[in-house]
Amino acid sequence: MREVYQEQLGELAEELASMSTKVGTAMELATKALLEADLELAEQVIEEDAQIDEARARAEEHAFGLLALQAPVAGDLRTVISTIHTAEDLERMGDLALHVAKTARRRHPNAVLPADVQPYFAEMGRVAVKLAGRAGSVIQTQDVEAARGLEEDDDEMDDLHRHLFTVMMSPDWSHGVAAAVDVTLLGRFYERFADHAVSVARRVVFIVTGKMPNS
Amino acid sequence: MREVYQEQLGELAEELASMSTKVGTAMELATKALLEADLELAEQVIEEDAQIDEARARAEEHAFGLLALQAPVAGDLRTVISTIHTAEDLERMGDLALHVAKTARRRHPNAVLPADVQPYFAEMGRVAVKLAGRAGSVIQTQDVEAARGLEEDDDEMDDLHRHLFTVMMSPDWSHGVAAAVDVTLLGRFYERFADHAVSVARRVVFIVTGKMPNS
């Protein structure tokens, strides 16, 4: 029984790690679509989001199966419930990449971003993809130190996000309100993407140590 | 066994309904703080958010207890897992009210909102509070028709949200970029609050009918 449980749990971790890869790729392509006003790439991200939603539904089904057949208690129960939360976080990260892609599509053939904030989004995209990759690794390795490391990457995202506001508030901002509204929402999408990756990592810490790290 | 299960599930529904009341009140007070630049009220919402987080932790503990002791399967299992998701949605609604309150505090003693968008936020606040109240009712009554009704209130929120953008994009907008950034983020907080209320209602439909409504 225990062995079957461990095996199923391992498979579930694989599924979640594969979802992390998917959402990382979605954010990478969405960022590229945004920076290069690439409609085809934006469409691809939008179309492929359904796969992420399906992967989430499958992971949740498998977690349900585990709960129903193995009726785990205590720590095991927490672990399985955590996988359900993790699948939800990852689906949400996919949605946020989708929002970025939709913004790129909406403004096409125009670029969404004024040139002076493009480097910020290139960086935020890079950090987001890194966070998704690390979230996927810690799901598989259950490495608590690596999981804690995601908070630092998130600090990097928060710094970039703050700088973005400084740029928009500066008297040199010459792109008007419409561009500022887009930049504000896009910045929020990247920031939330990072928050959800951190949330995934925090749950790994919780599963391994039994304690939720302080936020 | 079955009777104990039903009783515990009923208690859990009460807890979630009470959380809905709490997040509705939080959004009501946060909106008032925002519209009237009322620092004391903003501080109150910020301070009381911890109670919502605790209520969520308690609800999740109770759901864990139910899973561990009753080991429900099939529909019952789905119902208990849904309560865990619902508690998460409600906590997030509390966070969004908190963000509104923090924005009011950050700009105090200045008003955050230019006069011409104040009526929109008064309305969005009203719709948000209504949605939280209805979410709480459907948790208790499991009334599928009422649950479906939340989608209409959410349409109202989306309309208000869209109008807000029209106001900001208009050539008459004379409040500059900084105000537009605040209005954009605040608008997003209200919109997401409504989305989470709808998500709560959709889970009620799922529990009762066994089918998730199409989004």
Side-chain angles (χ1 to χ4, degrees):
Chain A
M1 187 77 149
R2 181 83 202 160
E3 204 172 302
V4 176
Y5 168 77
Q6 285 301 346
E7 194 182 309
Q8 289 179 332
L9 202 61
E11 282 167 16
L12 200 44
E14 289 298 325
E15 283 181 67
L16 296 174
S18 145
M19 270 188 86
S20 307
T21 308
K22 277 199 177 71
V23 302
T25 304
M27 199 44 141
E28 189 169 11
L29 299 182
T31 304
K32 202 160 184 291
L34 182 70
L35 292 170
E36 300 173 9
D38 186 329
L39 181 62
E40 211 173 307
L41 218 47
E43 296 279 14
Q44 186 188 330
V45 174
I46 292 163
E47 202 176 300
E48 289 178 357
D49 183 58
Q51 293 175 21
I52 296 170
D53 296 348
E54 285 159 18
R56 183 254 172 115
R58 268 199 310 277
E60 195 163 307
E61 277 312 308
H62 291 157
F64 271 71
L66 246 168
L67 288 172
L69 292 174
Q70 311 282 349
V73 293
D76 290 344
L77 176 57
R78 273 168 213 283
T79 302
V80 180
I81 300 293
S82 285
T83 64
I84 295 178
H85 283 306
T86 297
E88 193 170 24
D89 276 314
L90 291 168
E91 185 188 4
R92 187 70 202 137
M93 288 164 76
D95 287 342
L96 291 160
L98 175 70
H99 289 341
V100 172
K102 281 189 173 171
T103 309
R105 181 172 71 176
R106 195 178 312 127
R107 300 287 176 249
H108 187 270
N110 298 313
V112 183
L113 300 173
D116 44 358
V117 295
Q118 291 218 7
Y120 289 94
F121 281 91
E123 267 303 284
M124 290 199 293
R126 191 187 59 73
V127 176
V129 173
K130 183 167 73 171
L131 276 161
R134 294 207 170 163
S137 308
V138 300
I139 287 169
Q140 286 180 304
T141 62
Q142 307 267 304
D143 179 336
V144 169
E145 276 319 299
R148 291 199 174 111
L150 267 82
E151 310 262 358
E152 279 166 40
D153 295 326
D154 186 42
D155 289 344
E156 205 180 335
M157 181 67 90
D158 288 342
D159 279 347
L160 287 162
H161 192 226
R162 253 191 304 274
H163 271 104
L164 204 55
F165 284 98
T166 316
V167 175
M168 283 188 286
M169 302 301 178
S170 137
D172 299 337
W173 180 262
S174 58
H175 316 289
V177 167
V181 168
D182 277 343
V183 167
T184 300
L185 285 177
L186 285 165
R188 178 93 187 145
F189 299 153
Y190 283 88
E191 190 211 6
R192 291 296 299 154
F193 185 97
D195 287 344
H196 284 286
V198 169
S199 164
V200 168
R202 289 163 60 88
R203 267 196 208 95
V204 169
V205 175
F206 173 66
I207 290 171
V208 177
T209 67
K211 278 188 199 145
M212 205 67 179
N214 294 327
S215 47
Chain B
M1 186 77 150
R2 181 83 200 160
E3 206 171 300
V4 177
Y5 167 78
Q6 286 300 346
E7 194 183 308
Q8 290 180 332
L9 203 60
E11 283 167 14
L12 200 45
E14 289 298 324
E15 283 181 65
L16 296 174
S18 145
M19 270 187 85
S20 308
T21 308
K22 277 199 178 69
V23 303
T25 304
M27 199 45 141
E28 188 170 11
L29 299 183
T31 304
K32 202 160 184 291
L34 183 70
L35 293 170
E36 300 173 9
D38 186 329
L39 181 61
E40 211 173 308
L41 219 47
E43 296 280 14
Q44 186 188 332
V45 174
I46 292 163
E47 203 175 300
E48 289 177 358
D49 183 58
Q51 293 175 21
I52 296 169
D53 296 349
E54 285 159 19
R56 184 255 173 114
R58 268 200 310 275
E60 196 162 305
E61 278 311 308
H62 291 157
F64 272 73
L66 246 168
L67 288 172
L69 292 174
Q70 310 282 349
V73 293
D76 289 343
L77 177 57
R78 274 169 211 283
T79 303
V80 180
I81 299 294
S82 286
T83 64
I84 294 178
H85 283 308
T86 298
E88 193 169 26
D89 276 314
L90 291 168
E91 185 188 4
R92 187 73 201 136
M93 288 163 77
D95 288 342
L96 291 161
L98 175 70
H99 289 341
V100 172
K102 281 188 173 171
T103 309
R105 181 171 72 176
R106 194 178 312 128
R107 300 286 176 250
H108 188 269
N110 298 312
V112 183
L113 301 173
D116 44 358
V117 294
Q118 290 217 8
Y120 290 94
F121 281 91
E123 267 303 283
M124 289 200 292
R126 192 187 58 74
V127 176
V129 173
K130 183 166 74 172
L131 276 161
R134 293 207 171 162
S137 305
V138 300
I139 287 169
Q140 287 180 302
T141 61
Q142 307 266 304
D143 179 336
V144 169
E145 277 318 299
R148 291 198 174 112
L150 267 82
E151 311 263 356
E152 280 166 40
D153 294 327
D154 186 41
D155 289 344
E156 206 181 333
M157 181 67 90
D158 288 342
D159 280 346
L160 287 161
H161 193 226
R162 254 192 303 275
H163 271 105
L164 204 56
F165 284 98
T166 317
V167 175
M168 283 189 285
M169 302 301 177
S170 138
D172 299 337
W173 180 263
S174 59
H175 315 290
V177 167
V181 168
D182 276 343
V183 167
T184 301
L185 285 176
L186 285 165
R188 178 92 187 145
F189 299 152
Y190 283 88
E191 189 210 8
R192 292 294 301 153
F193 185 97
D195 287 345
H196 284 285
V198 170
S199 163
V200 168
R202 289 164 61 88
R203 268 195 208 96
V204 169
V205 175
F206 173 65
I207 290 172
V208 177
T209 67
K211 278 187 199 146
M212 205 67 178
N214 294 325
S215 49

